[in-house]
């Protein structure tokens, strides 16, 4: 789909528009969401060229509720196929600033493929950015340090453990809407803040303690935009216990909006994981918000993608990551992790410099919706349903379908 920027206007009109936008506090560099109908048409067209096809497509229904764990309100959504039966469970954990309706495109794709999707988010986390849509770099970093801290992770895992216990009780009651879920066959998926929790549940050695007597029994994990910082310790030590099948998804422009990490580190933990059922999907030009799974035409509810100018609370302004940090490119090996399944594109021979890439926004590539949904569904079919055809597609056919727009590695 062609990119739509204000720069297509005539110079005079362009200047007027920029002036008006600045007066309204809008960021003229932000691309508009794609037209929903046009985007869906292009997604379907691309999927028809070789995306993974589940054995059956289901209609799905969704409910949304508010549960209380102690004094904490939990925002809950549950999406499952209609028509009766029990379906493997996918637990989805949203990002910071998102509510339980987040990741709608991913959740809808999984439900249509025969999965019950249970989303949990402490309600307060979905309101973090309500007060302001403009934060300077220091404020963003301070926000990130607070919510990605060990204490915050422990709190979220405690709420999740309780919610899963409640889900199991309801799933055991005939006629209850949650009875469509089969908690005995479960995977966890998370984006942004939820990715941090999903990685911990997949066996990453973190400083946070898991809740006592918690029943976290997951057969696999999908980690969308992995949260990786060197401050947490050596990567090989943190990844040593990550034995379960895992799909990590990132992009070559998957920049950390909080300034806590670097783009290249998104794949670093995957490189250190022991082999066996490990997949890494890298989207060419894929940005952080592209991994949020918002429906075409909708805007991501996370932090502002471009910090407001100014040094913020710590006195330092927003700085792009160095050329050395921005090395992850499709077709380019990053580290020594396992077999690579994919081909290089002509534009991926080296990293772009900061002047070219820092904080630049592009129009979304609609192929990325299809690629994440297709690879994610195939991974779930392999892990939770034991579909051999899913393994064949992941290890052979996916790369031919995606071409140079993405790369899928496995080990």
């Amino acid at each position: 789909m062609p990119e739509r920027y204000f720069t297509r206007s005539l110079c005079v009109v362009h200047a007027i528009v920029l002036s008006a936008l600045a007066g309204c506090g809008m960021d003229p560099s932000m691309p508009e969401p794609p037209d929903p109908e046009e985007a869906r048409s292009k997604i379907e067209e691309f999927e028809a060229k070789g995306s993974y096809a589940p054995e059956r497509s289901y209609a799905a229904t969704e409910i949304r509720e508010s549960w209380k764990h102690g004094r904490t309100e939990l925002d809950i959504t549950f999406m499952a196929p209609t028509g009766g039966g029990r379906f493997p469970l996918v637990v989805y954990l949203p990002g910071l600033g998102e509510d339980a309706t987040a990741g709608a495109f991913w959740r809808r794709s999984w439900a249509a493929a025969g999965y019950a999707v249970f989303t949990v988010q402490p309600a307060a986390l979905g309101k973090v950015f309500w007060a302001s849509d403009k934060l300077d770099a220091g404020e963003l970093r301070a926000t990130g340090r607070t919510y990605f801290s060990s204490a915050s992770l422990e709190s979220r895992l405690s709420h999740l453990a309780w919610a899963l216990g409640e889900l199991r009780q309801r799933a055991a009651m005939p006629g209850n809407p949650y009875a469509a879920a089969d908690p005995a066959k479960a995977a966890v998926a998370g984006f942004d803040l939820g990715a941090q929790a999903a990685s911990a549940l997949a066996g990453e050695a973190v400083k946070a303690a898991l809740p006592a007597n918690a029943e976290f029994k997951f057969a696999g994990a999908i980690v969308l935009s992995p949260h990786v910082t060197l401050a947490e310790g050596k990567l090989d030590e943190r990844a040593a216990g990550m034995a379960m099948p895992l799909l990590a998804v990132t992009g070559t422009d998957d920049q950390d909006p909080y300034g806590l990490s670097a783009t290249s580190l998104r794949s670093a933990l995957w490189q250190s994981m022991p082999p066996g059922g490990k997949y890494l999907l890298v989207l060419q030009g894929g940005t952080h918000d592209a991994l949020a799974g918002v429906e075409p035409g909708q805007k991501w509810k996370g932090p502002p993608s471009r910090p407001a100018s100014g040094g913020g609370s710590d006195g330092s302004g927003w700085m792009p990551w160095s050329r050395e940090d921005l090395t992850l490119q499709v077709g380019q090996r990053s580290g020594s992790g396992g077999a690579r399944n994919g081909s290089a594109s002509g534009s991926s021979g080296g990293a772009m410099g900061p002047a070219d890439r820092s904080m630049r926004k592009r129009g979304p590539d609609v192929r990325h919706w299809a690629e994440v949904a297709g690879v994610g569904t195939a991974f779930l079919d392999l892990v939770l349903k034991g579909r051999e055809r899913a393994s064949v597609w992941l290890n052979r056919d996916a790369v031919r379908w995606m071409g140079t727009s993405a790369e899928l590695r496995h080990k």
Side-chain angles (χ1 to χ4, degrees), residues 184-239:
K185 300 177 181 178
V188 62
F191 164 70
D192 186 76
L193 190 69
Q196 182 197 35
S199 186
L201 293 168
E204 180 185 356
V206 294
K207 296 179 181 178
L210 296 180
N213 303 319
E215 293 186 39
F216 294 128
K217 298 180 180 178
F218 297 113
I222 298 178
V223 183
L224 300 157
S225 191
H227 176 73
V228 182
T229 64
L230 298 180
E232 294 294 323
K234 296 181 179 179
L235 294 177
D236 55 350
E237 295 177 357
R238 288 158 52 188

Side-chain angles (χ1 to χ4, degrees), residues 336-403:
S336 57
R340 190 182 74 199
N341 189 7
S343 57
S345 67
S347 62
S348 357
M352 298 180 185
D356 296 320
R357 297 185 55 177
S358 64
M359 307 314 299
R360 182 176 63 182
K361 293 296 296 182
R362 300 183 177 89
D365 187 337
V366 296
R367 294 175 296 181
H368 293 166
W369 272 295
E371 288 160 347
V372 176
V375 172
T377 299
F379 176 80
L380 292 173
D381 271 6
L382 174 61
V383 172
L384 296 182
K385 297 182 179 179
R387 299 283 194 260
E388 180 60 29
R389 57 188 293 271
S391 176
V392 172
W393 186 86
L394 286 169
N395 297 326
R396 185 190 67 189
D397 301 332
V399 63
R400 294 189 300 214
W401 169 58
M402 294 186 296

Side-chain angles (χ1 to χ4, degrees), residues 88-131:
L89 175 67
V90 179
V91 176
Y92 184 74
L93 308 175
L96 184 59
E98 296 182 319
D99 58 30
T101 66
F105 193 88
W106 313 146
R107 295 186 297 111
R108 181 170 54 81
S109 299
W110 299 333
Y115 294 93
V117 187
F118 179 66
T119 306
V120 184
Q121 178 77 313
L125 296 185
K127 303 173 184 178
V128 169
F129 301 110
W130 281 17

Side-chain angles (χ1 to χ4, degrees), residues 70-97:
R71 296 182 178 180
T72 300
E73 178 185 354
L74 301 181
D75 191 9
I76 303 291
T77 61
F78 182 73
M79 185 182 294
T82 59
R86 302 194 79 195
F87 302 91
L89 175 67
V90 179
V91 176
Y92 184 74
L93 308 175
L96 184 59

